[in-house]
Amino acid sequence: RCLVAAFDAGLSAYETMGAGRDAARVRRRLRRLGVRRRHWSNTDRPVSGWASLTDTERTVSELVAQGLTNRQVADQLFMSAHTVAFHLRHVFRKLNIGSRVELTRLTLQRSA
């Protein structure tokens, strides 16, 4: 209980400071202790297109477009490779694409 309270305090501080990677690291430690903390919010988004992507989906997309594997993305974002694959499936559906190559092409076009 004391350890969970300490992690909760740290998580709150990291989120307040906007330290997303550190907050993700603490949430991962909490998950290992069997504690889940919700870190997303419901917002009105379009059904498809770039505007429909969540922050996590956008981050995963950018890292994949840089050529990282699911495992490398997972390590950077402190999540499992299965979770990365889950987000990629959603990205592919929302952008109506079927491959990492198409995702990279769209990402490059978008940033140009």
Side-chain angles (χ1 to χ4, degrees):
R1 287 281 188 251
C2 185
L3 184 60
V4 171
F7 279 133
D8 277 337
L11 178 61
S12 178
Y14 285 139
E15 288 175 339
T16 299
M17 292 185 296
R21 285 186 56 123
D22 293 313
R25 188 170 41 89
V26 172
R27 275 192 303 277
R28 184 177 192 178
R29 296 286 300 268
L30 283 166
R31 279 193 306 273
R32 288 180 183 160
L33 294 172
V35 178
R36 304 240 180 237
R37 294 290 183 251
R38 183 172 172 241
H39 61 280
W40 61 87
S41 60
N42 291 331
T43 58
D44 290 330
R45 282 191 180 79
V47 176
S48 62
W50 286 105
S52 69
L53 300 182
T54 65
D55 291 339
T56 303
E57 290 167 348
R58 197 171 294 111
T59 302
V60 167
S61 298
E62 291 166 0
L63 293 172
V64 166
Q66 292 173 18
L68 274 64
T69 64
N70 286 7
R71 169 63 23 216
Q72 291 169 325
V73 173
D75 289 343
Q76 279 206 7
L77 299 180
F78 303 101
M79 60 178 62
S80 75
H82 293 287
T83 303
V84 172
F86 170 83
H87 288 300
L88 271 179
R89 284 192 302 275
H90 284 255
V91 169
F92 286 8
R93 179 182 50 79
K94 289 177 179 182
L95 297 180
N96 196 29
I97 58 175
S99 73
R100 296 166 90 93
V101 172
E102 289 178 273
L103 177 60
T104 301
R105 182 183 51 78
L106 286 176
T107 303
L108 289 173
Q109 284 177 347
R110 185 171 181 259
S111 63

